[in-house]
Amino acid sequence: MNHLQTADYAVFLLYFVIVSSYGYWIYRRRKAAETNTKDFFLAEGSLTWWAIGASLIASNISAEHFIGMAGSGFAMGLAISSYEWFAAAVLIVVAVFFIPIYLKNRIYTMPQFLAQRYNDTVSTILAIFWLVVYVLVNLTSILYLGAIAIESLAGISFTTCTIGLAVFAIFITLGGMKVIGYTDVIQVVVLITGGLVVTYLALDLVANKIGVSGVWNGLLSLRTNADSHFHMYFPEGHPHYSVLPGMALVTGGMWVNNLSYWGCNQYIVQRALGADLKTARSGILFAAFLKLLIPLIVVIPGIAAYVLYQNGTFQTEMTSNGAVRPDNAYPVLMNLLPVGMKGLAFAALTAAVVASLAGKCNSISTIFTLDIYKKFFDKDASEQKLVRVGRYAVVVAFIIAIIIAPMLRSFDQVYQYIQEYTNFVSPGVFAIFLLGFFWKRTTTRAALTAAILSIPLSVLLKFWPEVMNLFGVKAAEIPFLHRTMWVFCLDIALMVVVTLTDPASHHNAKGLEIDQKMFKVTPSFIFGSVVILTILAVLYTNFW
């Protein structure tokens, strides 16, 4: 295996020094963050629109994209881009309808919103759900995918990689949200630049192998040599239908998945909660533009690896124990980069991993400290103590992730593992938030019903064929995006029924300030939104 050379390590070291020094400089400028929870967890009022947008993308794009989504690009093609392109449209919805409610009501955490709208019981149940999913699914999978990529690229052992990534991320996280937000700007520049370099060289290699010249011809030849990988819609009966059913793009499963992630997720929304409405909306719109680019730097390289594999280039590198391993696609491509450029790609991958780890762990720390520790263990804790507890939570979360990460080696496409198991919680969360926002009669009893039944309903539908077999009836597997939509619809129906039969439904929503004026947007926001939606329409028209 071709590992990093001295020049590559020099490029990576330069990146490490710049990020660390910049983060430390920001931390020293606002050392008051040590004693102020709003500053530590939200960077209240100090993030600009471009820092918010960059931080959203840096926290979202991680090894699960570079490795997991590139692997899905190798296996199924451009269709996996729907997660990114739908997100661009969803971010517009979040900016218009969700963020104004959070800011108007001074919401700092998602459990705080639930406590304010419903009660502490609903808040605590979902806070625990979020902590479990964030630590056991998200944080662990990000650490795992980052470690296997670096192991393949640099020849460093998996265990050393997990510890090294965790320590780097802890260093960033302990500085608070302001340090995370502004270092994320550098991380985004590095990960997009490095990602584009990998895409450029992958397409150039494809062009050479196919017998044409130029990157553009390489891109065109992908569609010629892998036409099956350039369809956004998978009909029933397609080999990948269960993973990404085409109708989910139309009937709502993909929308529920994205709206829950981008609109009701502490990990994401937290970036905008400390800003004013105009700044938050501008940052979110900037993030939506960046989301349009992501398939170019992660999915296209995966398809390029598929074409090269079919052409006989990666027969050995793409297989393990006799089976093709799609998640090997991106690390294999990075190993083909020239000296120096490989260091940049290594820095890009590390930037994505560390930024995502730091953002995720800051949210874990925020929820644990403000919604669990302060509420149940020490209601009178000082600001200094709460920040200290938040930092301890960061370290503990990483220790758990390091222990669990090696267990994910049994999955072929970890990106699908992340999406599927996160969606055990997403439908119920989105149902609770949606009705909590826009239907004043929704009651606490209704929210509790959805919170308690969402996971059992998801498990029931996941194992639906096995359940039906117990009664002697054959049933087909239900694709997880369809399960997501079914559970969401069931949760909504249950909440409506419970609300209408609950005497408490005649009272107004508790503690929420909502009026139509807060949903008005500026002409520039409308223009940007129209541009994004037009681009999406062109993409789906060409590749449907």
Side-chain angles (χ1 to χ4, degrees):
M1 184 73 71
N2 181 23
H3 293 314
L4 300 181
Q5 305 299 317
T6 302
D8 298 313
Y9 285 113
V11 172
F12 178 79
L13 182 62
L14 178 63
Y15 148 75
F16 179 83
V17 170
I18 290 174
V19 172
S20 301
S21 301
Y22 185 54
Y24 185 70
W25 178 69
I26 293 170
Y27 171 74
R28 295 294 301 179
R29 284 186 66 193
R30 287 292 299 274
K31 200 170 182 181
E34 287 187 83
T35 58
N36 187 322
T37 53
K38 292 180 183 178
D39 206 4
F40 181 77
F41 293 119
L42 298 178
E44 189 172 35
S46 61
L47 293 184
T48 59
W49 65 267
W50 45 269
I52 291 171
S55 188
L56 280 169
I57 296 303
S59 299
N60 169 242
I61 304 304
S62 183
E64 64 194 73
H65 288 77
F66 277 95
I67 308 304
M69 188 170 275
S72 294
F74 179 97
M76 68 179 69
L78 197 64
I80 198 66
S81 301
S82 283
Y83 283 105
E84 305 305 300
W85 290 340
F86 266 66
V90 163
L91 279 166
I92 296 173
V93 176
V94 170
V96 175
F97 296 107
F98 289 31
I99 291 299
I101 297 174
Y102 293 140
L103 296 183
K104 181 73 172 179
N105 291 277
R106 296 179 179 84
I107 301 299
Y108 301 139
T109 71
M110 298 301 96
Q112 181 200 342
F113 166 80
L114 296 172
Q116 193 166 317
R117 174 59 180 84
Y118 298 109
N119 68 8
D120 283 342
T121 304
V122 176
S123 172
T124 302
I125 289 173
L126 287 178
I128 293 171
F129 282 168
W130 273 313
L131 287 176
V132 170
V133 171
Y134 285 174
V135 176
L136 300 186
V137 178
N138 298 113
L139 194 69
T140 302
S141 59
I142 294 167
L143 194 62
Y144 164 76
L145 286 169
I148 63 169
I150 293 173
E151 179 186 38
S152 172
L153 185 65
I156 303 170
S157 72
F158 177 85
T159 302
T160 302
C161 289
T162 56
I163 295 173
L165 287 170
V167 170
F168 191 3
I170 287 172
F171 178 81
I172 298 295
T173 309
L174 296 185
M177 179 52 72
K178 187 175 182 182
V179 173
I180 293 171
Y182 280 108
T183 55
D184 277 352
V185 176
I186 299 176
Q187 309 278 40
V188 163
V189 171
V190 172
L191 74 87
I192 289 180
T193 303
L196 288 174
V197 166
V198 173
T199 300
Y200 178 90
L201 294 174
L203 293 175
D204 187 58
L205 180 60
V206 168
N208 291 334
K209 293 293 182 180
I210 299 299
V212 295
S213 61
V215 171
W216 179 251
N217 287 327
L219 180 60
L220 295 177
S221 66
L222 288 188
R223 193 164 189 181
T224 303
N225 290 273
D227 182 65
S228 63
H229 279 51
F230 281 86
H231 300 289
M232 301 300 297
Y233 179 92
F234 290 155
E236 193 166 359
H238 190 280
H240 297 297
Y241 179 78
S242 64
V243 175
L244 193 63
M247 288 305 295
L249 307 182
V250 181
T251 57
M254 184 66 77
W255 286 100
V256 172
N257 177 76
N258 272 286
L259 282 165
S260 177
Y261 179 84
W262 292 99
C264 313
N265 187 344
Q266 180 72 28
Y267 171 50
I268 295 300
V269 179
Q270 189 165 340
R271 271 104 193 106
L273 294 183
D276 61 82
L277 181 57
K278 183 179 178 181
T279 302
R281 277 179 167 163
S282 298
I284 292 171
L285 193 64
F286 178 46
F289 274 107
L290 293 177
K291 288 299 281 184
L292 298 176
L293 289 175
I294 302 306
L296 181 62
I297 65 175
V298 292
V299 179
I300 294 299
I303 299 174
Y306 171 80
V307 171
L308 292 168
Y309 173 78
Q310 295 296 319
N311 199 38
T313 304
F314 294 145
Q315 295 296 319
T316 302
E317 293 88 343
M318 288 302 303
T319 57
S320 177
N321 298 323
V324 177
R325 301 282 295 186
D327 283 348
N328 286 353
Y330 206 86
V332 166
L333 283 174
M334 287 196 297
N335 270 314
L336 296 175
L337 297 178
V339 173
M341 287 297 181
K342 190 185 296 185
L344 179 61
F346 183 34
L349 178 64
T350 305
V353 175
V354 169
S356 198
L357 287 172
K360 182 67 72 179
C361 223
N362 183 267
S363 295
I364 291 169
S365 172
T366 303
I367 291 176
F368 175 78
T369 304
L370 300 183
D371 298 299
I372 301 295
Y373 181 82
K374 184 177 182 180
K375 188 179 293 184
F376 296 104
F377 294 96
D378 193 348
K379 294 180 180 180
D380 300 319
S382 65
E383 294 282 293
Q384 297 95 322
K385 185 174 183 180
L386 290 176
V387 171
R388 191 163 60 249
V389 168
R391 288 174 171 153
Y392 290 151
V394 168
V395 176
V396 172
F398 272 114
I399 291 173
I400 294 171
I402 289 171
I403 293 171
I404 297 176
M407 302 178 188
L408 300 187
R409 286 186 180 272
S410 59
F411 292 91
D412 286 336
Q413 294 184 52
V414 175
Y415 188 77
Q416 296 306 320
Y417 155 79
I418 298 167
Q419 296 299 329
E420 178 164 0
Y421 287 95
T422 299
N423 273 24
F424 272 46
V425 178
S426 298
V429 170
F430 183 52
I432 292 168
F433 273 73
L434 187 66
L435 292 186
F437 284 149
F438 303 115
W439 192 30
K440 288 185 176 181
R441 291 186 62 183
T442 310
T443 64
T444 297
R445 189 181 298 173
L448 279 172
T449 302
I452 293 170
L453 293 181
S454 189
I455 290 180
L457 286 171
S458 296
V459 173
L460 174 65
L461 292 183
K462 177 174 175 58
F463 297 103
W464 186 249
E466 290 82 354
V467 172
M468 296 306 292
N469 283 339
L470 295 176
F471 301 97
V473 179
K474 287 188 176 181
E477 178 186 357
I478 304 174
F480 88 88
L481 283 175
H482 286 340
R483 295 200 309 265
T484 299
M485 192 60 189
W486 274 107
V487 174
F488 171 72
C489 290
L490 289 170
D491 283 333
I492 290 288
L494 286 168
M495 290 182 70
V496 169
V497 170
V498 171
T499 295
L500 294 177
T501 57
D502 187 350
S505 66
H506 298 291
H507 302 294
N508 288 333
K510 297 192 307 179
L512 284 187
E513 294 183 43
I514 299 177
D515 60 70
Q516 292 184 348
K517 292 181 181 179
M518 68 172 64
F519 302 121
K520 290 183 179 179
V521 294
T522 62
S524 59
F525 184 90
I526 294 173
F527 175 76
S529 300
V530 170
V531 171
I532 289 172
L533 295 175
T534 301
I535 293 171
L536 289 173
V538 171
L539 288 169
Y540 275 92
T541 300
N542 277 279
F543 297 117
W544 185 252

